[in-house]
Amino acid sequence: MQGTDATVQNRILALVESILAQNAMPGGVKPDTRLADAGLTSMEMVNLMLGVEALFDMTLPQSDITPENFTSVETIERLVLSRLQMQAA
């Protein structure tokens, strides 16, 4: 599972960097960087949530779409891994 964790994190990091680049914002986001501090607006957070759903071929339930789950790449990673485990079960 360790390799899967790293892959999930890398994919989310790439998605965040892509959103930042589209808006000519500096990248360099680390897994624990607060996404609001990196410059993501509420609209970009919505794009991030939709991107995560598309990237991992899942639909997040409304109950999972919370600010706490989208604070950083690490929190998104935990959410995605949790959802992937539930799908596999």
Side-chain angles (χ1 to χ4, degrees):
M1 190 71 165
Q2 191 79 18
T4 303
D5 292 5
T7 301
V8 167
Q9 186 177 91
N10 289 338
R11 291 171 74 185
I12 297 168
L13 277 168
L15 179 61
V16 169
E17 293 284 344
S18 165
I19 291 170
L20 289 171
Q22 288 172 5
N23 295 295
M25 300 171 80
V29 173
K30 295 183 174 76
D32 62 346
T33 301
R34 289 181 45 83
L35 297 176
D37 293 345
L40 288 181
T41 65
S42 57
M43 185 56 91
E44 291 158 345
M45 292 296 248
V46 169
N47 289 337
L48 175 60
M49 184 269 305
L50 294 171
V52 166
E53 288 184 325
L55 193 60
F56 296 99
D57 193 28
M58 65 174 60
T59 301
L60 295 171
Q62 195 69 34
S63 60
D64 282 349
I65 302 171
T66 64
E68 296 79 21
N69 284 336
F70 285 83
T71 302
S72 67
V73 170
E74 287 176 338
T75 60
I76 299 169
E77 177 187 12
R78 282 195 293 272
L79 172 63
V80 168
L81 290 172
S82 169
R83 301 302 306 171
L84 290 174
Q85 284 179 333
M86 290 173 72
Q87 285 179 350

